[in-house]
Amino acid sequence: LEDAPMPRAQAAALLAEGDHPAARATLAALLADASAPSLVRRTSARALARDARRPDAVREALRDADPFVRIYAAGGILAAAAAG
């Protein structure tokens, strides 16, 4: 799945719901990859905050140049907070 970032992000998001460190690392790497498509980066931001329950890991994304990445990161943080 190296050449298919969206399926990687989706698979990592599903695995991150359990305590899966490699899935969290994949999501973080995809989020940090400025050359990745916006859809992949925003999906990774939301999944890392909400599904992996790591809202602190996406704080930097709140300052991203892409407004959609910022919105998805903020939404993931809020969803994580609401879930407790």
Side-chain angles (χ1 to χ4, degrees), residues 15-78:
L15 291 171
E17 291 178 7
D19 191 22
H20 201 285
R24 289 193 306 269
T26 297
L27 291 170
L30 288 169
L31 177 58
D33 183 0
S35 67
S38 175
L39 181 60
V40 171
R41 296 182 64 238
R42 58 184 138 157
T43 299
S44 298
R46 182 183 57 208
L48 191 55
R50 184 188 67 192
D51 303 332
R53 294 174 301 282
R54 299 280 194 246
D56 55 315
V58 300
R59 287 178 55 205
E60 185 66 30
L62 294 174
R63 291 186 282 276
D64 196 271
D66 184 334
F68 286 109
V69 172
R70 294 193 306 263
I71 291 168
Y72 276 63
I77 291 169
L78 290 173

